[in-house]
């Protein structure tokens, strides 16, 4: 048992160090960007495009903030605006697919996936879902009634305080990562040594097979679904090292998880907006399943094509 704890702790510390090197600098830079004209400039740039998604120009503010920072910041920005129910639901759907882009996409790249694939899937899902909802839903024109009042943020005085807050936020991000990843790695190590991981993998086998993946991706899927991309990446890194998860299965798992991850937290967080969160969860889950199965089917056809050509030449 002592060996299991030691190995799990070591894996947790190594993973925290690997991901912390990504999360700390990006969080630091993005936190500093908040207090520069850059985000305002990006908002002004994309405001004219908001009509495509059925949104007013000012809706660009939470969209930019949520993608550069996180869901909490994006929702805080929504609460400060007078928007219709339809606009709020569209923004919630877009942000559920695409948020905290810089950190989560960089973490995905650290796991071994191509950055452009993650960005294409996340932004593609956000844009396409907004366009479809805008075209299909004809109601929701009444003004949104928010469930809670947003808290007023403390405004730092001068660049010295700004830099101090940015460093503090980046450091807290790494500490939070460690508090989640290290215990998780220890638990997984115990599960491996006791043989429970194999039992769990068998339970998940029907789900992973349906999605076009092998059984050894089960822990990756569950980790991402429950604790999110950034923290779940620790389990993914270990899965690639120890469980022999293939690049194909890792890509499929990430495609599923970019559409639907941290399902409890990322669903409940939208309650203050006063919208129904169950349709939001249903959209995320159904899109994740359909997209992953579709990509897996296309991948199988592409893999089978060279084999068919070889068989033709041999005959």
């Amino acid at each position: 048992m002592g060996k299991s704890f030691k190995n799990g702790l070591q894996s947790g510390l190594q993973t925290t160090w690997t991901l912390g090197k990504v999360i700390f600098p990006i969080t630091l830079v993005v936190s500093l960007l908040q207090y520069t004209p850059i985000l305002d400039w990006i908002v002004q740039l994309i405001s004219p495009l908001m009509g495509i998604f059925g949104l007013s120009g000012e809706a660009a503010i939470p969209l930019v903030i949520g993608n550069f920072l996180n869901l909490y910041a994006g929702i805080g920005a929504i609460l400060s605006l007078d928007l219709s129910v339809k606009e709020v639901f569209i923004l919630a759907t877009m942000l559920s697919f695409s948020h905290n882009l810089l950190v989560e996409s960089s973490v995905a790249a650290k796991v071994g996936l191509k950055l452009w694939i993650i960005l294409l899937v996340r932004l593609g899902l956000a844009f396409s879902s907004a366009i479809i909802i805008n075209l299909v839903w004809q109601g929701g024109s009444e003004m949104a009634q928010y469930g809670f009042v947003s808290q007023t943020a403390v405004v730092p005085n001068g660049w010295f305080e700004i830099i101090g807050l940015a460093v503090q936020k980046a450091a807290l991000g790494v500490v939070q990562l460690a508090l989640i990843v290290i215990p998780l790695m220890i638990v997984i190590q115990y599960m491996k040594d006791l043989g429970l991981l194999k039992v769990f993998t068998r339970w998940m086998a029907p789900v992973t097979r349906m999605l076009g993946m092998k059984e050894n991706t089960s822990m990756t899927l569950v980790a991402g679904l429950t604790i999110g991309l950034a923290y779940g990446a620790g389990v993914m890194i270990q899965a690639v090292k120890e469980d022999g998860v293939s690049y194909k299965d890792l890509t499929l798992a990430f495609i599923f998880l970019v559409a639907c991850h941290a399902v409890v937290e990322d669903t409940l967080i939208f309650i203050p907006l006063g919208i129904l969160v169950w349709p939001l969860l249903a959209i995320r889950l159904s899109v994740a399943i359909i997209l992953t199965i579709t990509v897996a089917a296309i991948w199988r056809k592409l893999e089978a094509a060279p084999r068919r050509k070889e068989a033709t030449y041999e005959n």
Side-chain angles (χ1 to χ4, degrees), residues 300-313:
R300 281 196 300 271
K301 285 186 178 181
L302 292 174
E303 286 179 332
R307 290 197 291 268
R308 283 199 298 268
K309 283 184 180 179
E310 287 177 11
T312 303
Y313 290 140

Side-chain angles (χ1 to χ4, degrees), residues 43-191:
V43 166
Q44 291 172 8
L45 190 68
I46 70 170
S47 289
L49 303 174
M50 290 295 98
I52 299 171
F53 310 121
L55 300 171
S56 55
E58 64 180 356
I61 298 170
L63 208 54
V64 170
I65 290 174
N67 276 284
F68 269 82
L69 301 174
N70 51 48
L71 273 179
Y72 294 97
I75 288 170
I78 293 173
L79 291 169
S80 67
L81 302 173
D82 293 323
L83 300 169
S84 69
V85 171
K86 183 177 179 178
E87 283 183 295
V88 171
F89 188 80
I90 289 173
L91 279 172
T93 305
M94 293 182 79
L95 286 173
S96 68
F97 286 129
S98 172
H99 58 264
N100 203 9
L101 267 185
L102 297 180
V103 170
E104 291 188 349
S105 299
S106 299
V107 164
K110 196 71 178 177
V111 173
L113 295 173
K114 289 181 173 61
L115 187 62
W116 69 268
I117 293 176
I118 302 303
L119 290 174
L120 181 66
V121 173
R122 299 194 74 181
L123 292 173
L125 289 175
F127 295 158
S128 59
S129 64
I131 292 170
I132 292 169
I133 292 170
N134 182 42
L135 292 174
V136 172
W137 189 12
Q138 300 303 316
S141 58
E142 65 275 14
M143 296 305 293
Q145 300 295 318
Y146 303 128
F148 305 107
V149 179
S150 59
Q151 296 178 343
T152 305
V154 177
V155 180
N157 183 22
W159 275 103
F160 183 77
E161 285 190 17
I162 290 172
I163 293 170
L165 282 172
V167 171
Q168 183 182 25
K169 189 174 181 181
L172 284 173
V174 177
V175 170
Q176 188 177 13
L177 174 74
L179 290 174
I180 293 173
V181 167
I182 292 174
L184 184 64
M185 290 300 182
I186 292 171
V187 170
I188 289 174
Q189 188 64 49
Y190 274 109
M191 287 178 69

Side-chain angles (χ1 to χ4, degrees), residues 2 5 9 11 18 20 35 46 57 78 82 116 132 166-167 182 191 198 233 241 248 259 278 282 293:
F5 180 84
L9 179 63
S11 296
T18 300
Y35 304 99
I46 70 170
I78 293 173
D82 293 323
W116 69 268
I132 292 169
V167 171
I182 292 174
M191 287 178 69
K198 290 181 180 178
K241 285 182 183 177
K248 174 188 173 183
W278 289 114
I293 290 173

